[in-house]
Amino acid sequence: MIRSYKRFAAIAAAVLCSGSAFAQSNADRIIDYELANSRAYETLSHLTDNIGPRLSGSKNAGLAVTWTTKTLRDWGLNAQNQAVMVPHWVRGVEHGSLVSHNDQKIVLTALGGSIATPANGITADVIEVASYDELAKLGRAKIAGKIVFYNRAMDMQMVESGQAFAAYSEAVEFRSTGASHAAEYGAVASVIRSVASASLRTPHTGAMRYDEKQPKIPAAAMTTEDADLVHRLLAKGERVRLHLVLTPKTLPDVESANVIAEIRGSEHPDEVVLIGGHLDSWDLGTGAIDDGAGAVMVMETLRVLKELGIQPKRTIRGVLFMNEENGLRGGHKYFDTAAAREEVHKHIAAIETDAGAAPPVGFITTLEGAALSRMQIRARVLSRIAPIVFTSSKHTGADTSPLTDAGVPGFGLVPDPRHYFDFHHTPADTLDKIDPKALAQNTAALAALAYLIAEDGL
Ligand SMILES: [Zn+2]
């Protein structure tokens, strides 16, 4: 009796630590199926090539909601739309030239949310800074009436050592808040060096926001090549004058939607493992890496589970979030709805995929210590796809951040990040940057992890 109890306890402990054999074998099936029969690339090809750029509020973003909803339904899934009001910012004309240097063209793009310049543009001297401290030291006397040029490059050592997202977080602050900081000292516009790990003279857009206490001034990003040009001219001690024309508009908010579909759990259907990516993209490219890839990984996970007839004990809910790029309204709408229904803590995990589709290297997760080690062991079946490593991180995704901030365990899929910011938010974010095999590997990793957690719990 004692012996058999000990044996039972040992088996129970092994299952708790390493997951059930049943779950492991189903995860194996999911991986095998996805690696051999993936339709993720085909789905992504429609989203990017047939529908195109999907900026929030645009006609294409609406088409993407309709098409993904219909496609999921065609696959036998009960897809629903969760309505959400989103910003509607429209890029206009964008033009920059150095009037001080023979009207050489400066390749630049408006930052999302920027106001327009006057119709005939702004012409002003350019003053370069690399930090807010430098800006403050120059003060109003030097800054007033000028175009502030924030020139801080991404830390390429960090990028090359796999810390590209940390390098991005560091460099992106001037894009987010640089215009208002410059306006505080009387600047007439601000232009940043694109937040980029590589460039073929492609400007990188992205969201900016105004501090309501400061005057609003136009904000743009120039390519790293153009930033280097302006820097070299200023370093020669020359006066650099830029003519800048931007004509974006902020139109009234538009109703859009998150697209939600799920595989209901067989034993605990009210307990949810959320998998999410975002359906909207910037307008310059077709949003293949950001985040068409993530959106189709979520769709494909549901398709594969349905196709294989695998129903885990807990619900796997796929969410295609709207408006991650310039507002996060979809992420907040999802959370607020869950909170109103007191369902936030029914989410046992939130897994986000918004980092492209280079070959997978692992997951970041809010799990730490023993829970992190246990996860690494439980997910050992994923090592068949690639050497998947789980690493602790406070932030595991933007759309799921309201959930993880409320204490829901978070996961973020990490494809090799070293070239992600070469293309991120540029006209070059297009389908040709996606390797179908790596996309399937990422999908297999996402699907297997979601299934293991939904079957055996966390
Ligand atoms: Zn994204």
Side-chain angles (χ1 to χ4, degrees):
M1 189 65 195
I2 286 173
R3 258 184 74 182
S4 72
Y5 171 75
K6 274 188 179 162
R7 200 178 133 78
F8 171 77
I11 292 170
V15 167
L16 269 180
C17 193
S18 61
S20 67
F22 176 74
Q24 296 289 321
S25 94
N26 268 343
D28 254 332
R29 282 176 65 207
I30 291 167
I31 293 168
D32 285 341
Y33 179 91
E34 175 59 16
L35 296 182
N37 306 289
S38 181
R39 284 174 62 183
Y41 188 81
E42 179 189 329
T43 311
L44 182 57
S45 135
H46 188 94
L47 201 56
T48 56
D49 285 353
N50 294 69
I51 295 176
R54 302 172 300 283
L55 186 57
S56 287
S58 68
K59 180 175 163 234
N60 289 7
L63 290 172
V65 168
T66 306
W67 183 77
T68 53
T69 305
K70 180 185 180 301
T71 301
L72 288 161
R73 287 180 183 164
D74 289 348
W75 293 344
L77 293 146
N78 184 23
Q80 303 295 326
N81 290 166
Q82 180 176 55
V84 57
M85 296 301 288
V86 297
H88 189 194
W89 179 84
V90 181
R91 184 182 304 283
V93 172
E94 35 202 26
H95 169 82
S97 57
L98 291 183
V99 295
S100 54
H101 292 79
N102 311 317
D103 289 323
Q104 290 186 70
K105 182 171 179 166
I106 293 294
V107 180
L108 51 73
T109 192
L111 295 180
S114 174
I115 61 161
T117 61
N120 57 352
I122 287 171
T123 303
D125 283 15
V126 175
I127 186 159
E128 177 181 340
V129 298
S131 70
Y132 288 145
D133 280 351
E134 228 178 290
L135 185 75
K137 267 186 206 132
L138 290 166
R140 184 165 276 273
K142 294 270 170 54
I143 301 291
K146 301 211 173 97
I147 295 173
V148 168
F149 162 40
Y150 291 104
N151 187 21
R152 194 167 79 192
M154 272 179 94
D155 181 333
M156 288 308 291
Q157 261 182 331
M158 285 174 81
V159 171
E160 279 150 23
S161 68
Q163 302 300 310
F165 280 82
Y168 174 72
S169 301
E170 257 183 36
V172 83
E173 68 171 324
F174 301 116
R175 192 193 78 201
S176 308
T177 60
S180 289
H181 278 271
E184 189 180 342
Y185 300 101
V188 291
S190 83
V191 181
I192 62 163
R193 177 192 186 90
S194 282
V195 184
S197 53
S199 183
L200 288 172
R201 227 174 169 193
T202 39
H204 295 235
T205 191
M208 56 83 60
R209 59 178 185 274
Y210 289 112
D211 174 349
E212 293 301 327
K213 293 195 289 289
Q214 304 300 338
K216 292 184 178 177
I217 59 171
M222 60 180 142
T223 72
T224 64
E225 290 91 336
D226 290 274
D228 287 340
L229 165 67
V230 172
H231 172 79
R232 286 192 301 268
L233 292 173
L234 288 169
K236 287 180 185 174
E238 296 187 21
R239 182 177 182 193
V240 176
R241 278 177 76 74
L242 177 67
H243 179 61
L244 178 66
V245 181
L246 303 173
T247 66
K249 285 196 187 93
T250 298
L251 301 173
D253 286 0
V254 168
E255 184 177 313
S256 188
N258 294 327
V259 179
I260 304 179
E262 59 189 30
I263 303 283
R264 293 281 286 170
S266 59
E267 286 185 22
H268 312 288
D270 56 331
E271 294 183 16
V272 173
V273 175
L274 182 149
I275 53 173
H278 66 89
L279 199 49
D280 63 307
S281 76
W282 277 107
D283 55 337
L284 298 177
T286 57
I289 65 165
D290 186 13
D291 182 30
V296 307
M297 286 178 215
V298 169
M299 294 173 73
E300 176 74 359
T301 293
L302 299 174
R303 188 188 75 80
V304 169
L305 292 168
K306 186 86 187 169
E307 193 71 23
L308 293 175
I310 292 176
Q311 185 184 23
K313 293 194 178 95
R314 297 164 187 80
T315 295
I316 295 179
R317 179 178 297 160
V319 184
L320 310 181
F321 290 99
M322 182 48 69
N323 186 226
E324 188 275 342
E325 294 295 1
N326 58 338
L328 213 66
R329 301 266 188 96
H332 285 291
K333 180 71 181 192
Y334 181 87
F335 178 83
D336 293 346
T337 307
R341 295 177 185 157
E342 300 190 343
E343 288 172 1
V344 171
H345 294 287
K346 299 272 172 72
H347 288 75
I348 63 165
I351 313 176
E352 189 158 331
T353 163
D354 183 14
V361 296
F363 288 88
I364 45 174
T365 172
T366 57
L367 299 182
E368 294 175 331
L372 178 69
S373 320
R374 213 159 47 231
M375 193 72 241
Q376 185 70 55
I377 295 167
R378 281 182 56 188
R380 65 195 178 282
V381 63
L382 273 65
S383 65
R384 284 183 41 226
I385 307 165
I388 297 290
V389 176
F390 287 77
T391 312
S392 280
S393 171
K394 285 208 173 9
H395 302 285
T396 51
D399 281 311
T400 52
S401 62
L403 288 167
T404 54
D405 287 350
V408 174
F411 293 83
L413 176 66
V414 185
D416 184 337
R418 286 174 298 176
H419 292 287
Y420 183 67
F421 294 99
D422 296 3
F423 310 111
H424 179 252
H425 297 184
T426 72
D429 179 2
T430 45
L431 186 63
D432 49 284
K433 308 307 179 303
I434 301 287
D435 169 17
K437 184 180 164 205
L439 181 62
Q441 289 174 322
N442 281 298
T443 308
L446 172 70
L449 178 67
Y451 169 74
L452 286 171
I453 298 173
E455 182 61 30
D456 283 346
L458 196 60

